[in-house]
Amino acid sequence: MRVRGGIVGGLALAVALSGCVGGVAPPTDRPSAGRSPIAGTSDPRAKPGRVHPVRDAGNSENIRGIQNPARIVGAVPILPVPIAPPFAPADRAVAAGVVAGPDIASLPISELQAEAARVAFLTSCPGLQRRTDQSGLTRGADWQPACAAAASVPRGGARTFFTQWFEAVQVGDGKAFATGYYEPEIAGSLDRRDGYAPVYGRPRDLIDVDLGAFSTSLKGKKIRGRVSGSNFIPYYDRTAIEQGALTDSAPILAWAKDPVELFFLQIQGSGRLRLPDGSILRIGYDTQNGRDYTGIGALMKSRGLLQPGQTSMQGIVGWLHDHPVEGQAIMRENKSFVFFRELDGPPQGAMGYAVTGQVSAAADVKFVPLGAPVVLSLDRQDATGLWIAQDTGGAIKGSNRFDTFWGAGAAAEATAGGMAGRGTAFLLLPIGTVARLNAGTANGARYDGSAAQR
């Protein structure tokens, strides 16, 4: 979902719209309580659990010059290195083919971006050196020299750090597509109010089952459900939950003023509730009910409900507010429902580290080592430059597919909502990676510097 991997690897904006045209845009920052009847019907005596709201302006450091309303400045992407296609479908980076990219010094990286990325990279270093790289590109020990150097970079030397310790690598054809996500903020309360919807924590009767424990043929497959008598059955869907099925089984963390905006916060996987006294309660993805996700944007488009110019998230939210009864029914066609937990600090990505607005990005772990720097050269200036891959996402699959994180605040919301950048991607990997891959055989694929050969 994005759902996204930490924020969460649960669903990105692109998943929310799933097929809408012309990019994606998030809901407006004007809650519309009373316009929708979608609030849950849980026990009114239910009280939120212990919370620790904090005062927080919520705006990320603006290292990319983003604005609200979003101002799109075009850019000319660097052309990828031409390669021949692989002979078989690529299931990870080493099968897609790996070639050397341009000199890092020639890539569009500002010193401000580089310093922010250095800090995020250093944060990711323990995971980079410990995790198994599913892409097949690197080994934990490969990152040790760069990680050691990252801890003592002099002021003004971040860009030089990346040019000295890394080489640019192109995976496959290098053709990149980047969307955006952000940390939404919606109005909320710790006390129940008319029209407000409950923000649920994990239900006590929700059970995770690892099917691999029962059969090796089911290794890696998991399901969620609940026990009814002597049977294990699917967990309640969105409709049942909104009609009060969780009255006795799930804690209520808080109440959201606008149920439509809570719906989209579930899609993002984490967010912020601004309470009446101005303090912030941060919540993050805990788990999900095990039901399949359905993108309502695609449904609305196929049914002709969205007029030209309405296929942004603002347009969808506006339609749902203007048609509360029909909107409730459409949202309930997405049977997936997300349960949250309180966050003590910033949202975390799939690596378990805090993600940083305008610095962190989500990628597919089969094609990008989590924690690795990535340079995007896109047809949009705001998303062009250096990022650190610290997250994953349900819709972020395949080589050169990225979801850029823009932080919190109105400018982040506006930029992430309309992000749909195309161009070229280069991974920054430890020096010597390409030579090692060319010299050896990885997973049956040998690299000759231009393509994977079988």
Side-chain angles (χ1 to χ4, degrees):
M1 109 182 0
R2 225 212 220 222
V3 184
R4 80 175 13 273
I7 290 188
V8 131
L11 293 175
L13 293 179
V15 182
L17 298 183
S18 180
C20 287
V21 178
V24 187
T28 65
D29 56 4
R30 298 184 298 276
S32 305
R35 300 179 64 187
S36 172
I38 309 172
T41 56
S42 297
D43 186 345
R45 295 169 296 178
K47 294 292 185 182
R50 186 170 61 91
V51 294
H52 310 280
V54 296
R55 294 192 176 276
D56 184 348
N59 296 316
S60 305
E61 181 182 4
N62 194 356
I63 65 174
R64 297 178 184 271
I66 63 173
Q67 303 174 35
N68 181 39
R71 180 170 175 262
I72 299 176
V73 178
V76 179
I78 297 173
L79 294 177
V81 179
I83 68 166
F87 290 96
D91 59 354
R92 60 182 186 144
V94 291
V98 178
V99 296
D103 189 326
I104 294 176
S106 69
L107 296 177
I109 304 172
S110 71
E111 178 63 27
L112 192 60
Q113 287 179 11
E115 175 56 23
R118 180 195 67 83
V119 174
F121 170 74
L122 184 60
T123 300
S124 297
C125 275
L128 262 173
Q129 297 175 80
R130 182 180 65 248
R131 294 169 62 98
T132 298
D133 180 3
Q134 296 182 43
S135 74
L137 297 176
T138 65
R139 302 160 298 192
D142 296 341
W143 297 96
Q144 291 177 359
C147 285
S152 57
V153 175
R155 181 183 295 273
R159 195 172 188 278
T160 299
F161 160 74
F162 284 103
T163 62
Q164 288 182 338
W165 292 96
F166 298 88
E167 62 186 10
V169 170
Q170 177 181 305
V171 176
D173 62 11
K175 295 180 180 178
F177 176 56
T179 48
Y181 68 109
Y182 71 108
E183 187 185 8
E185 180 181 303
I186 65 176
S189 172
L190 298 184
D191 301 308
R192 180 169 184 168
R193 302 188 178 197
D194 289 343
Y196 281 45
V199 179
Y200 286 112
R202 182 188 178 100
R204 292 179 291 276
D205 59 347
L206 176 62
I207 299 173
D208 297 304
V209 177
D210 180 358
L211 296 178
F214 297 87
S215 171
T216 55
S217 65
L218 297 175
K219 184 178 180 180
K221 297 184 181 296
K222 298 180 180 180
I223 59 174
R224 296 187 181 103
R226 62 187 179 91
V227 174
S228 178
S230 60
N231 296 317
F232 185 73
I233 63 176
Y235 203 73
Y236 301 110
D237 64 11
R238 178 175 296 276
T239 299
I241 291 171
E242 291 181 350
Q243 291 177 343
L246 303 186
T247 297
D248 300 319
S249 59
I252 296 176
L253 304 182
W255 301 86
K257 184 176 183 180
D258 184 351
V260 173
E261 291 188 345
L262 176 60
F263 176 88
F264 283 96
L265 191 149
Q266 288 193 13
I267 293 171
Q268 286 293 306
S270 72
R272 309 151 59 91
L273 294 177
R274 185 165 292 277
L275 305 178
D277 65 355
S279 61
I280 290 291
L281 173 64
R282 266 186 157 134
I283 56 174
Y285 175 91
D286 190 343
T287 189
Q288 180 257 7
N289 63 346
R291 298 299 189 112
D292 290 339
Y293 176 85
T294 298
I296 66 169
L299 293 180
M300 297 172 71
K301 179 184 174 184
S302 67
R303 296 171 188 175
L305 300 177
L306 301 175
Q307 301 302 315
Q310 274 191 302
T311 53
S312 66
M313 189 172 287
Q314 289 102 328
I316 292 175
V317 170
W319 193 96
L320 295 172
H321 281 151
D322 292 339
H323 304 82
V325 176
E326 299 93 329
Q328 181 185 56
I330 288 174
M331 287 190 287
R332 285 180 173 177
E333 291 190 55
N334 175 23
K335 298 181 184 298
S336 173
F337 195 94
V338 170
F339 303 107
F340 293 99
R341 60 185 174 88
E342 181 191 348
L343 298 180
D344 292 331
Q348 295 182 343
M351 297 188 76
Y353 306 127
V355 290
T356 305
Q358 303 184 42
V359 178
S360 303
D364 187 337
V365 296
K366 293 184 178 180
F367 293 89
V368 179
L370 272 190
V374 178
V375 175
L376 300 179
S377 179
L378 305 177
D379 55 6
R380 291 184 56 140
Q381 186 62 45
D382 49 8
T384 290
L386 186 58
W387 299 83
I388 304 297
Q390 294 179 298
D391 205 0
T392 59
I396 314 306
K397 300 298 182 185
S399 61
N400 306 302
R401 175 69 173 95
F402 299 93
D403 203 20
T404 51
F405 177 55
W406 294 90
E413 181 179 345
T415 301
M419 181 55 60
R422 297 183 183 276
T424 307
F426 299 104
L427 304 187
L428 301 192
L429 300 181
I431 290 175
T433 300
V434 173
R436 175 173 57 79
L437 292 175
N438 280 335
T441 300
N443 221 16
R446 183 174 180 82
Y447 300 100
D448 62 2
S450 61
Q453 303 291 325
R454 288 206 181 270

